[in-house]
Amino acid sequence: MTAVAQPREITAPRTTSRFSRGLGRVGVHAGVVILMAIWLIPTIGLLVNSFRPAQDVASSGWWNGLFPPYNLSLDNYAAVLSEQGIGDAFVNSLFITIPSVIIPILVAAFAAYAFSWMSFPGRNLLFVAVVGLLVVPLQTTFIPILRLYSGISIHFGPLNFDTLNGEFLAVWLAHTGYGLPFAIYLLRNYMGGLPREVFESAAIDGASPVVAFLRLALPMSVPAIAALVIFQFLFVWNDLLVALVYIGSTNAANSPLTISIANLVTSLGGNWQLLGAAAFLSMALPLAVFAALQRYFVRGITGGAVKG
Amino acid sequence: MDPRIGTALTVLIGVPAVLIGYIYLTEIALRALPERYKPRARPWLWLLPALAFLFVFLIYPTIGTFIRSFRNADDTDFIGLNNFQKFVSSDATLIALRNNILWVIFLTVFCVGIGLLIAVLVDRVRYESWAKGVIFLPLAISAVAASLIWKFMFDYQPPGEPQTGTMNAFIGVFGISPVPWLQIDTFALNTFALIGVMAWMWTGFAMVIISASLKSISAELLEAARVDGANEWQVFRRIVFPLLLPTIAVVSTTMIITALKAFDIVYTMTGGNFNTDVIANLMYKQISFGDFGFASAIAVVLLIAIVPIMGVNIRRFQAQEAIR
């Protein structure tokens, strides 16, 4: 484009630089395409094998599935859903994830509103403490919470257990606690940036803080909330560690997909067609959520990180 | 009907109702207070649920773990620094420590380096959003699924058998005999393989943030440098890179924390065998063995490694607040 804009400047040294720029362009395309291939091939390999019959998978590489006779089917998906308990685990993952997304975001929204639009002594110090809690490794919390949970026994209505360990409730509460620092941080940064006049005029018109929060702050913060929903959804749906610690061995019937699939790695060994089908079933929902809301996700991480 | 559906519906409708009901209730309760105390009491009532969760699930347990790290396996006796002595004197923990150091250095370098390379490269092609999407996608899947995808890449069959694993099939084309990637610990090859999987997942994160920062550099500035005779490398080295440095620092701290907490990939791919263990997996193993004292000591080591980063985060946050 430089050449088109300034044709009269083409002199001998320019020509070489244009030639090397041309080489550069080829290099750029080659580099990008090679990197894309490195990122895609591993996934494509397992995806192709998840459609192939067991004997093909064991005797020939996945790339053979791309050429006739294709011999591809959905049999492996049907098999893992029914025989390997992946169907149940999928439902468990949903049960674990949905409340673990809703509760922390609501709790964080109250706190973020207080941090942004109410003044009280110690506000900044308290918020700095929340920023500090962002990086506390979950490992330092497991043992005391496990002990705490094991002492909780409830027999009331639908709640019926001798220990909280192994129950969905255990994971919901834990994910709420773990997700809060980031949720408060992100929402406070967003709510704090909303125009001050909006809240001042609402107060002059006699709107209570509850009304200002529900009618103004929450609806205006939808982009930040959307970003948070994706983060928390991906974090909880993809989580292995928290589920292993609080549900893990205590109550296998409540295992989410991550635990079930990790167990299949041991029990199914080299049955890549089944392992692949299970893996892609677990990836379907997060990829769909991600594809639908990617705009908010990218804005969330760039806003969160570039701003701080 | 599945009884869990009843519970789920209760939670789905009940929890938001309870929480919003709580905020209304605080307003009613505040009416009982004299006018001048209302603005003082209100923020604390709004913060109460969050502070309660933060205390019960982060602050109280961190203190508890710290105390337990000085106590024995079943939490009946104070044993001083024995757990930490065990940590520095056992081969298993020292290997895990070495591996975590490798994770911190190489995961950060890979993700930031390749992320920067990709961000700069795709800036010059028209299919930029496609290329970014491809690199970014692994961030949405679980580390367990990523582990499966890569365990299959690294799959190994004894020589003579058909090599169906992609890596071994690929090197087989050049006549190289198959390599059991995840079992060879010479030069920590298998640990590097695991770090590579994590880098495959997280490079997209680094790329997206660096790319956003790259787009904010003014085009006129770069054009001015080119008019002054700077070549593309000089433009990158002298202008683009220095302007990207603050962003690279932010991404690097995130990657360091991610590397220190690495767990899922090790758990799923090798279980910590063949000298690939890391601190987080070691700690999980001690929980399942029931040695809560030692497990707590390992967690404290992890926390101590992360505290300096916490300091950096807080300082950066305060600097930002100052310009707000």
Side-chain angles (χ1 to χ4, degrees):
Chain A
M1 53 183 182
T2 326
V4 176
Q6 304 155 322
R8 62 200 160 81
E9 278 188 43
I10 301 175
T11 51
R14 278 277 159 166
T15 330
T16 20
S17 92
R18 247 176 75 214
F19 174 69
S20 68
R21 248 188 217 184
L23 260 188
R25 291 222 60 79
V26 173
V28 166
H29 285 292
V32 173
V33 169
I34 289 172
L35 284 164
M36 280 171 79
I38 294 174
W39 253 257
L40 277 177
I41 285 172
T43 318
I44 294 173
L46 195 60
L47 183 65
V48 170
N49 258 0
S50 73
F51 297 114
R52 300 175 75 209
Q55 66 273 17
D56 285 14
V57 169
S59 60
S60 64
W62 57 268
W63 48 91
N64 291 295
L66 298 173
F67 304 102
Y70 298 103
N71 212 0
L72 306 175
S73 75
L74 287 170
D75 293 352
N76 299 320
Y77 286 84
V80 289
L81 276 174
S82 54
E83 293 154 34
Q84 307 294 342
I86 291 299
D88 280 337
F90 193 96
V91 177
N92 285 340
S93 277
L94 272 180
F95 277 129
I96 288 173
T97 307
I98 294 171
S100 304
V101 171
I102 296 175
I103 308 175
I105 293 180
L106 256 180
V107 171
F110 297 151
Y113 185 76
F115 275 125
S116 327
W117 297 109
M118 296 178 187
S119 59
F120 53 94
R123 180 171 80 163
N124 289 339
L125 201 65
L126 202 58
F127 193 70
V128 165
V130 172
V131 173
L133 288 178
L134 271 173
V135 296
V136 167
L138 304 185
Q139 278 81 2
T140 55
T141 69
F142 290 153
I143 294 166
I145 295 176
L146 278 172
R147 300 304 278 273
L148 191 73
Y149 277 173
S150 68
I152 297 179
S153 157
I154 300 179
H155 298 277
F156 175 76
L159 298 170
N160 194 6
F161 46 80
D162 293 320
T163 160
L164 201 48
N165 290 318
E167 299 293 323
F168 288 142
L169 183 59
V171 197
W172 295 338
L173 294 175
H175 274 305
T176 301
Y178 298 155
L180 268 181
F182 182 69
I184 296 176
Y185 175 71
L186 194 87
L187 278 180
R188 182 267 186 190
N189 276 356
Y190 196 88
M191 278 189 191
L194 296 176
R196 174 171 289 276
E197 302 78 40
V198 173
F199 294 95
E200 278 170 356
S201 57
I204 291 168
D205 292 345
S208 75
V210 180
V211 173
F213 171 73
L214 291 176
R215 296 275 174 80
L216 296 173
L218 272 191
M220 289 170 86
S221 304
V222 162
I225 293 172
L228 261 184
V229 167
I230 312 170
F231 283 131
Q232 186 72 1
F233 175 86
L234 291 180
F235 181 77
V236 178
W237 183 272
N238 291 336
D239 160 77
L240 171 70
L241 185 58
V242 175
L244 264 183
V245 170
Y246 298 120
I247 289 181
S249 49
T250 338
N251 191 352
N254 282 353
S255 286
L257 275 169
T258 44
I259 295 187
S260 300
I261 293 176
N263 289 340
L264 287 187
V265 176
T266 329
S267 63
L268 289 177
N271 284 304
W272 291 112
Q273 71 288 359
L274 296 179
L275 290 172
F280 282 96
L281 282 170
S282 82
M283 288 157 60
L285 198 53
L287 285 181
V289 169
F290 186 72
L293 298 169
Q294 190 180 9
R295 201 158 48 94
Y296 292 108
F297 184 85
V298 170
R299 216 183 285 159
I301 60 169
T302 50
V306 175
K307 264 164 63 186
Chain B
M1 192 180 84
D2 193 330
R4 291 178 304 184
I5 293 177
T7 320
L9 281 178
T10 317
V11 172
L12 216 57
I13 299 162
V15 170
V18 165
L19 285 170
I20 290 174
Y22 166 80
I23 284 297
Y24 270 108
L25 272 182
T26 62
E27 235 13 68
I28 293 170
L30 281 171
R31 279 188 205 146
L33 279 181
E35 199 56 45
R36 70 196 184 93
Y37 289 117
K38 276 186 195 172
R40 287 198 214 167
R42 188 179 285 120
W44 296 105
L45 290 173
W46 282 63
L47 288 171
L48 187 68
L51 294 183
F53 268 108
L54 291 178
F55 181 79
V56 174
F57 287 93
L58 289 167
I59 299 167
Y60 152 78
T62 302
I63 297 168
T65 297
F66 196 72
I67 295 170
R68 266 200 186 79
S69 67
F70 300 106
R71 297 175 67 83
N72 65 358
D74 42 13
D75 198 20
T76 50
D77 199 16
F78 181 77
I79 53 167
L81 290 172
N82 280 13
N83 287 323
F84 292 96
Q85 213 155 31
K86 198 159 141 194
F87 187 94
V88 292
S89 59
S90 117
D91 284 345
T93 49
L94 289 180
I95 285 171
L97 205 56
R98 179 206 71 179
N99 287 342
N100 265 108
I101 293 171
L102 292 178
W103 273 83
V104 166
I105 297 172
F106 290 97
L107 184 70
T108 312
V109 169
F110 284 170
C111 287
V112 174
I114 303 175
L116 176 65
L117 175 72
I118 297 174
V120 171
L121 285 183
V122 296
D123 201 35
R124 291 141 193 264
V125 298
R126 250 176 292 157
Y127 43 95
E128 174 174 5
S129 60
W130 280 97
K132 276 163 129 179
V134 164
I135 310 287
F136 198 48
L137 221 51
L139 206 59
I141 70 174
S142 66
V144 175
S147 299
L148 274 186
I149 287 172
W150 280 89
K151 218 171 143 79
F152 173 62
M153 278 295 277
F154 292 130
D155 193 36
Y156 164 81
Q157 304 295 333
E161 299 283 313
Q163 294 299 327
T164 53
T166 313
M167 297 279 276
N168 279 325
F170 181 71
I171 61 171
V173 172
F174 303 100
I176 306 170
S177 48
V179 177
W181 303 97
L182 296 175
Q183 292 170 28
I184 297 183
D185 57 0
T186 324
F187 299 116
L189 177 74
N190 47 9
T191 291
F192 281 109
L194 299 184
I195 296 173
V197 178
M198 192 75 151
W200 178 77
M201 288 188 74
W202 279 85
T203 297
F205 171 83
M207 172 205 70
V208 163
I209 295 175
I210 294 172
S211 173
S213 175
L214 189 68
K215 304 272 178 213
S216 70
I217 296 174
S218 96
E220 286 98 54
L221 180 66
L222 303 183
E223 210 40 55
R226 289 190 188 114
V227 169
D228 287 347
N231 63 33
E232 285 304 302
W233 170 247
Q234 284 169 326
V235 169
F236 175 78
R237 175 72 191 77
R238 298 283 168 80
I239 301 173
V240 175
F241 188 71
L243 286 172
L244 288 179
L245 263 183
T247 308
I248 289 175
V250 174
V251 176
S252 300
T253 50
T254 311
M255 293 322 303
I256 290 171
I257 294 174
T258 310
L260 284 170
K261 292 178 177 174
F263 167 77
D264 314 40
I265 286 177
V266 178
Y267 177 89
T268 319
M269 291 187 76
T270 63
N273 295 317
F274 315 112
N275 289 333
T276 56
D277 225 341
V278 287
I279 292 181
N281 189 50
L282 209 63
M283 194 261 170
Y284 176 73
K285 279 198 272 189
Q286 292 304 327
I287 293 184
S288 43
F289 296 158
D291 190 342
F292 286 176
F294 191 36
S296 299
I298 299 173
V300 168
V301 172
L302 192 58
L303 181 67
I304 290 171
I306 287 180
V307 162
I309 300 165
M310 192 191 290
V312 170
N313 263 359
I314 289 178
R315 200 170 309 158
R316 200 177 61 222
F317 167 74
Q318 283 170 330
Q320 273 161 14
E321 287 299 286
I323 37 174
R324 238 173 121 97

